[in-house]
Amino acid sequence: MDVKVVVTRCEDYTETVARKTKKILPTIGRLLLISTFVEDGIRLLFNAADHASHFSETWGMNYNFAYFLTIVMMFNLLCGSLLVMLRFRVAESCAVLATTIFFQVVLYQLYGTYHLLGRNVSILAALLLLVTENMLQKPKKYDPLPKDENDYEVTSVMLCCCRMFLNLMLCSMIHFDMSYRRLLLCAVSYAMMMAVWCGYKTRMISFMLSAWLLAYNIFLNDFWNRAVNSHVIRYDFFQTLSAVGGLLLLIHTGPGELSIDELKKKW
């Protein structure tokens, strides 16, 4: 069968899925996206003393202040996630979650490890995509003035930024070696990421990437079968789920005006 025919059918199938699931797909995407925040909040809730001791020893701060800081982060993560699912004050809730991520990166000293830093940037991109999706749901105000074709809406710029940084999660999970299987895996993965970055056949590639990441996550981060470092693997598992949720939201929103898909329609 011709490759173009296969690609066209896959693209049509993805558009059909996006159209038929336009009411439930954003909910699933939001649920997966906030999963890492819920897991992190519950972990802080049941291990607040251990985390407070870690902050106190690492940064030399007062234990009571460290404990208070842990409780505040736990409250922000759980309440922010709840408000996101209820679609109440989404932008403010995402800002609280993003601020909490920033403080966690600093307090846990995650900035020294590139793959952990990349994953947190990917989660921030998913939060930005969540804000953009909420903005797109609001009815647009009528503008009587004609729009310049070179002027782009804020949401299109935000979608472009989300596409650029959302795939950092996959970059942090794939490592090079000289085996043919690993080289093939890297080639396929980075080819799909480049397509999303450029906004080329975005919905179809995002669908493939979300399935790819989900399967990769289940087999690689199976913390339920691990006895050693299960808490670290569980953390990776839920972070990757958040990236999958972001990709599902990207299927729903589309690539925006700053993409090859939209430029092809103009020309």
Side-chain angles (χ1 to χ4, degrees):
M1 184 179 292
D2 190 1
V3 176
K4 291 185 179 180
V5 175
V6 174
V7 172
T8 303
R9 289 185 178 180
C10 291
E11 192 173 10
D12 292 341
Y13 176 76
T14 305
E15 293 289 343
T16 303
V17 170
R19 185 173 61 254
K20 290 186 176 181
T21 61
K22 62 181 180 180
K23 293 184 178 180
I24 191 173
L25 191 64
T27 303
I28 296 175
R30 287 194 299 271
L31 184 62
L32 292 179
L33 197 153
I34 68 166
S35 61
T36 186
F37 302 108
V38 174
E39 187 273 336
D40 204 12
I42 293 175
R43 180 168 51 86
L44 289 175
L45 177 64
F46 288 100
N47 300 282
D50 295 336
H51 290 274
S53 298
H54 174 74
F55 297 151
S56 179
E57 294 173 2
T58 303
W59 296 97
M61 62 178 65
N62 180 270
Y63 175 80
N64 293 328
F65 177 73
Y67 193 88
F68 170 75
L69 194 61
T70 304
I71 296 300
V72 169
M73 287 194 298
M74 178 269 297
F75 180 82
N76 288 343
L77 290 169
L78 294 180
C79 291
S81 301
L82 178 62
L83 292 177
V84 164
M85 284 306 301
L86 295 176
R87 306 201 70 171
F88 179 76
R89 299 288 184 181
V90 175
E92 292 83 353
S93 301
C94 289
V96 170
L97 293 174
T99 305
T100 306
I101 290 177
F102 173 78
F103 279 105
Q104 284 186 323
V105 169
V106 174
L107 291 173
Y108 290 107
Q109 297 179 328
L110 302 178
Y111 45 81
T113 309
Y114 79 94
H115 70 277
L116 291 178
L117 183 61
R119 291 184 182 188
N120 282 281
V121 172
S122 177
I123 300 302
L124 290 175
L127 286 175
L128 180 61
L129 183 58
L130 185 61
V131 175
T132 308
E133 186 265 341
N134 185 67
M135 292 173 62
L136 291 172
Q137 294 297 319
K138 297 179 180 179
K140 296 182 180 180
K141 296 181 180 180
Y142 175 71
D143 189 359
L145 298 177
K147 179 183 175 182
D148 189 347
E149 62 178 6
N150 294 322
D151 291 340
Y152 298 100
E153 296 182 358
V154 176
T155 52
S156 297
V157 179
M158 293 170 67
L159 282 172
C160 182
C161 294
C162 293
R163 295 199 319 268
M164 293 295 294
F165 295 105
L166 187 61
N167 289 325
L168 289 178
M169 181 66 68
L170 191 57
C171 292
S172 67
M173 296 176 66
I174 297 176
H175 306 283
F176 284 104
D177 60 40
M178 295 309 296
S179 66
Y180 291 109
R181 182 178 300 178
R182 180 67 67 175
L183 289 175
L184 178 61
L185 174 66
C186 292
V188 173
S189 300
Y190 282 102
M192 289 193 292
M193 284 190 291
M194 288 298 296
V196 173
W197 287 339
C198 298
Y200 178 71
K201 298 190 181 300
T202 309
R203 283 194 167 98
M204 181 186 72
I205 301 297
S206 296
F207 181 79
M208 295 170 61
L209 261 179
S210 60
W212 183 277
L213 257 183
L214 186 60
Y216 199 74
N217 191 33
I218 291 174
F219 286 105
L220 185 69
N221 297 322
D222 54 339
F223 64 90
W224 52 88
N225 291 328
R226 306 290 185 93
V228 181
N229 292 331
S230 61
H231 61 287
V232 177
I233 300 172
R234 183 174 66 247
Y235 175 77
D236 292 343
F237 177 84
F238 283 101
Q239 274 209 323
T240 309
L241 274 189
S242 293
V244 173
L247 288 169
L248 293 181
L249 285 178
L250 190 59
I251 296 172
H252 175 66
T253 60
E257 293 178 303
L258 293 171
S259 62
I260 294 179
D261 290 343
E262 293 298 323
L263 291 175
K264 286 170 60 179
K265 294 179 181 179
K266 293 181 179 180
W267 296 99

